[in-house]
Amino acid sequence: MYRTHNCGELCKKDIGKEVVLSGWIQKKRNLGSLCFIDIRDYFGITQLIFSKNLIEKFFLGKEFLIKIQGKVVERISKNNNIPTGEIEISVSQIEILNSSLPTPFTIENQTDGNEEIRMKYRYLDIRRNPIKNNLIIRHNLALEIRNFLSQNGFLEIETPVLINYTPEGARSFVVPSRTHVGKFYALAQSPQLFKQLLMIGGIDKYFQIVKCFRDEDARSDRQIEFTQIDCEMSFVEVDDVLIFFENFIKHLFRRIKNIQLESFPCISYSDAMKMYGTDSPDIRFGMPFIELNNLVQKKNISFLKEQELIIGIKVPKCHKNHDQMNSLFKKIENPNIFWIQYLSNKTLLSSNPDFFSEEIITIFINHFQAVPGDLLFISYGKRKNTRKTLGKVRLEIANHLNLKNSKIFKPLWVTDLPLLEWDERSKRYKSVHHPFTSPKKEDIHLLEKYPENIRSQSYDLIINGIEIGSGSIRIHNQNIQNLIFKHLGLSAKEIESEFGFFIKSFEYGTPPHGGIAFGLDRLINLLEGNDDIKNFIAFPKSNYGEDLMTKAPSFLKKEKLKELHLR
Ligand code: ASP
């Protein structure tokens, strides 16, 4: 028998029991006649006490796996930080189950190992509490998701991973076929078409916790292989989806974090751009843009008057010292931005005193109803760039002033994203969401002539400035779907060869349907206030898309390439 108990469960009520435990050596302290050893397993840590006579017979290093037999005794110096801190085991027998090399980094909560070495020996990293606990949280979250969706009538259905190549937005990984010479599969970027086909197949509500693959550069919030909570529902409109999934997200926050989220505000894409200069605004801090064009015209402020757009933000009560302010100003130095600082002693400072007189500065101060301590940033120029620039400045200020509290969660829906955007490089339209997204009913008349003006029935869930989910109501009309494909530059022949099966399915009574997919890795990362999704993935890829442990990707031998008809 390897154990009668695990290393995390023995306590005062077990004193006197004879037990067997197995675990890895975490720590060893030799006090001459006595030796203390902490052993660890998945469940916790237990302190062992050895007599000199017994311990002398063994060489025991860190991470040696040992099995011991002994008696539970009360500890003299108790450790209230761990559940087993009131007892220790007086060891009578010891067996080494496996020895260990010195580990390449310390297996402690705070480790000295850098990311590369931890990835290379990920199995050792997983022994550390922070990573192990993250995997437990991930499991608990997945369980809550499955329970909630199942209880609400969603059926979990697996869809294929090896599929046909379809242009879905990102680049696909391709897999050569051995049995079909010269042909390739693609790894699914998402189950999009299949979940829609499930709706056509009469499945009312579907979900899947599913691996998706996108051949993109990995980043701290993106992996080439990642997990989605993918959902689809029949007979729904935008509001049905938003209401249901707002409750879903609220439920997860309640269950996992014991946090009661407030109602999610809903703003259109165009308002998000106007108010925050981004389609994924962080609304933990205010500072929405104020448009100043009318003011500038009315007050006849030369130079600014000629600009396409003038917008500003007010940073209230910005009490920072001189050096901190200067470092902020330096960070956001930009010829199309100027700042006005209303100091506590009522002095007015500005970045361009030669250019904007005290009179003009006062106009802005009054317009923003600024009080001493406030800081204004004003951006001007071409519409799109001005918004983008001030959006970045807003985030930079929030970073600088520590306004991004990772314990506060502010979700919002951003809706009505444009259906298509013009891609200058390929000289054709691209879908903003994906080609199966339905246009808004009131914009359908623009489809032939003004496709870039069409808004879509789409929605993104943004939490703290991070896109956590994104979805849409789908096209269920064959003519509209064909027209969208045409706008995307697909010829009739290409539509037939790539999507023929899908277009065909529209001829068999396709129900109206819509759905959404959430990024599971990102959601956990956000819930836990972490800044790297790798910490919640058992075996993640590096930022260069490599598995540093198995060394994937790797070259194939000539014979293998030949077998796959690649040589
Ligand atoms: N398949 C979409 C995506 O991966 C999500 C959706 O529209 O449901 O972003």
Side-chain angles (χ1 to χ4, degrees):
M1 189 205 296
Y2 288 113
R3 57 187 180 192
T4 54
H5 296 80
N6 65 50
C7 295
E9 67 179 314
L10 292 168
C11 59
K12 222 169 166 179
K13 70 171 181 13
D14 300 300
I15 288 171
K17 280 186 189 161
E18 194 63 26
V19 296
V20 179
L21 298 182
S22 290
W24 289 273
I25 294 180
Q26 166 101 24
K27 213 192 282 169
K28 193 172 147 194
R29 280 150 307 176
N30 216 330
L31 302 183
S33 61
L34 288 176
C35 177
F36 291 96
I37 288 183
D38 287 349
I39 55 167
R40 164 187 21 88
D41 66 5
Y42 173 80
F43 305 93
I45 285 181
T46 300
Q47 178 166 290
L48 312 176
I49 177 165
F50 293 81
S51 68
K52 190 175 170 202
N53 291 347
L54 180 61
I55 201 82
E56 260 177 4
K57 300 191 190 116
F58 299 91
F59 170 75
L60 296 175
K62 273 191 178 180
E63 298 307 314
F64 274 47
L65 181 64
I66 57 171
K67 176 178 130 181
I68 58 96
Q69 185 167 343
K71 200 176 188 168
V72 183
V73 295
E74 184 160 8
R75 229 157 116 164
I76 297 171
S77 61
K78 303 203 169 30
N79 177 353
N80 294 326
N81 297 325
I82 55 171
T84 61
E86 289 189 300
I87 57 101
E88 60 197 4
I89 315 295
S90 171
V91 177
S92 51
Q93 280 181 46
I94 174 165
E95 185 187 330
I96 297 178
L97 297 177
N98 242 325
S99 62
S100 169
L101 289 173
T103 53
F105 52 89
T106 53
I107 315 291
E108 306 266 352
N109 289 357
Q110 291 290 339
T111 179
D112 54 359
N114 64 25
E115 184 171 289
E116 198 178 323
I117 196 89
R118 285 173 41 222
M119 292 299 151
K120 197 164 163 198
Y121 295 91
R122 187 62 162 174
Y123 49 92
L124 293 178
D125 206 21
I126 292 171
R127 283 189 198 167
R128 297 193 311 116
N129 281 327
I131 302 296
K132 179 194 75 184
N133 289 340
N134 286 349
L135 297 180
I136 295 173
I137 293 168
R138 188 182 178 108
H139 163 84
N140 290 339
L141 181 62
L143 209 58
E144 286 297 344
I145 291 165
R146 288 204 160 90
N147 285 340
F148 185 89
L149 293 175
S150 306
Q151 280 159 14
N152 281 281
F154 284 70
L155 201 60
E156 182 162 26
I157 301 178
E158 289 173 74
T159 51
V161 170
L162 289 173
I163 62 170
N164 239 349
Y165 177 84
T166 48
E168 228 196 277
R171 225 174 271 127
S172 292
F173 284 100
V174 290
V175 182
S177 163
R178 177 183 57 79
T179 45
H180 301 270
V181 182
K183 292 188 176 175
F184 292 83
Y185 301 96
L187 297 184
Q189 289 187 30
S190 85
Q192 187 60 38
L193 284 178
F194 291 94
K195 67 172 170 174
Q196 291 192 232
L197 290 164
L198 286 172
M199 298 301 108
I200 300 172
I203 301 292
D204 201 68
K205 297 185 192 77
Y206 140 97
F207 85 100
Q208 186 180 188
I209 298 185
V210 58
K211 271 285 175 79
C212 299
F213 305 87
R214 293 186 189 168
D215 188 3
E216 294 178 324
D217 298 338
R219 292 191 309 227
S220 66
D221 65 346
R222 195 162 72 189
Q223 288 264 304
I224 52 175
E225 162 178 5
F226 61 100
T227 306
Q228 281 191 345
I229 311 160
D230 192 42
C231 308
E232 197 74 8
M233 303 158 95
S234 282
F235 305 107
V236 286
E237 296 185 312
V238 171
D239 281 351
D240 301 310
V241 179
L242 299 196
I243 290 169
F244 180 80
F245 284 103
E246 180 165 329
N247 275 335
F248 167 71
I249 292 290
K250 282 179 172 168
H251 172 83
L252 298 181
F253 270 78
R254 217 167 25 238
R255 296 291 294 214
I256 302 293
K257 298 300 287 181
N258 202 15
I259 288 176
Q260 184 65 47
L261 292 175
E262 287 168 14
S263 287
F264 301 4
C266 186
I267 66 171
S268 68
Y269 168 88
S270 100
D271 283 348
M273 296 309 282
K274 278 187 198 150
M275 287 165 72
Y276 303 105
T278 167
D279 57 1
S280 42
D282 190 339
I283 54 166
R284 275 173 296 179
F285 38 91
M287 303 195 286
F289 299 172
I290 310 274
E291 219 174 291
L292 302 166
N293 284 42
N294 282 346
L295 176 81
V296 165
Q297 293 302 336
K298 209 167 94 198
K299 301 284 179 184
N300 203 12
I301 304 176
S302 61
F303 170 67
L304 283 183
K305 225 171 51 177
E306 284 89 59
Q307 305 299 324
E308 192 172 287
L309 183 71
I310 311 109
I311 45 179
I313 50 178
K314 175 168 84 175
V315 189
K317 299 200 192 73
C318 187
H319 296 294
K320 293 279 163 183
N321 67 34
H322 188 256
D323 287 349
Q324 286 168 322
M325 289 318 301
N326 276 347
S327 84
L328 173 63
F329 295 144
K330 231 189 206 134
K331 262 207 178 120
I332 59 183
E333 222 166 58
N334 182 310
N336 284 34
I337 294 252
F338 71 93
W339 51 258
I340 299 170
Q341 202 180 3
Y342 195 1
L343 296 180
S344 320
N345 64 8
K346 299 202 173 165
T347 322
L348 284 169
L349 292 181
S350 95
S351 48
N352 313 46
D354 305 333
F355 214 57
F356 297 109
S357 63
E358 175 127 3
E359 192 192 330
I360 292 176
I361 287 174
T362 312
I363 291 175
F364 287 120
I365 288 285
N366 291 339
H367 187 78
F368 278 90
Q369 299 181 341
V371 294
D374 291 354
L375 179 62
L376 307 181
F377 288 90
I378 290 162
S379 171
Y380 53 84
K382 287 268 175 231
R383 183 163 281 117
K384 217 166 151 187
N385 262 343
T386 301
R387 288 193 174 127
K388 215 164 140 190
T389 308
L390 196 61
K392 281 192 188 146
V393 166
R394 181 176 168 272
L395 291 182
E396 196 58 68
I397 296 166
N399 279 335
H400 206 80
L401 303 180
N402 290 327
L403 302 177
K404 291 184 169 179
N405 184 340
S406 65
K407 298 222 160 39
I408 290 178
F409 299 95
K410 293 276 185 189
L412 85 157
W413 293 109
V414 175
T415 61
D416 302 353
L417 281 83
L419 187 72
L420 300 164
E421 65 189 352
W422 182 251
D423 182 38
E424 220 10 82
R425 237 178 355 155
S426 56
K427 297 269 183 267
R428 62 179 186 80
Y429 287 109
K430 275 187 3 192
S431 294
V432 170
H433 188 46
H434 53 56
F436 318 107
T437 298
S438 175
K440 270 176 95 81
K441 282 188 195 126
E442 54 271 44
D443 290 357
I444 285 189
H445 65 282
L446 302 168
L447 204 52
E448 292 276 3
K449 287 207 177 128
Y450 304 102
E452 67 272 30
N453 291 350
I454 303 173
R455 292 164 303 161
S456 65
Q457 297 195 54
S458 60
Y459 30 80
D460 286 347
L461 175 68
I462 311 296
I463 309 183
N464 296 358
I466 300 163
E467 187 191 302
I468 291 296
S470 138
S472 59
I473 297 299
R474 325 300 183 188
I475 298 167
H476 63 283
N477 171 300
Q478 203 184 40
N479 295 337
I480 297 179
Q481 187 65 73
N482 270 324
L483 203 53
I484 298 290
F485 282 145
K486 258 192 233 146
H487 279 315
L488 296 175
L490 293 177
S491 66
K493 216 166 142 203
E494 283 167 327
I495 297 175
E496 181 48 38
S497 76
E498 288 177 26
F499 295 107
F501 71 99
F502 187 60
I503 294 283
K504 185 81 196 156
S505 71
F506 281 49
E507 291 174 14
Y508 294 95
T510 302
H513 59 287
I516 190 164
F518 301 94
L520 179 68
D521 313 289
R522 277 192 194 174
L523 179 61
I524 308 180
N525 202 39
L526 173 88
L527 279 164
E528 294 307 305
N530 207 287
D531 55 12
D532 193 341
I533 57 172
K534 289 199 269 315
N535 290 327
F536 297 89
I537 299 173
F539 298 102
K541 304 271 187 295
S542 75
N543 286 352
Y544 299 100
E546 304 150 307
D547 181 332
L548 297 176
M549 186 172 59
T550 66
K551 299 205 172 67
S554 59
F555 294 109
L556 287 182
K557 291 213 175 97
K558 263 198 191 130
E559 308 85 79
K560 193 73 204 160
L561 289 172
K562 219 166 148 197
E563 186 181 80
L564 293 169
H565 320 287
L566 294 176
R567 274 259 160 106

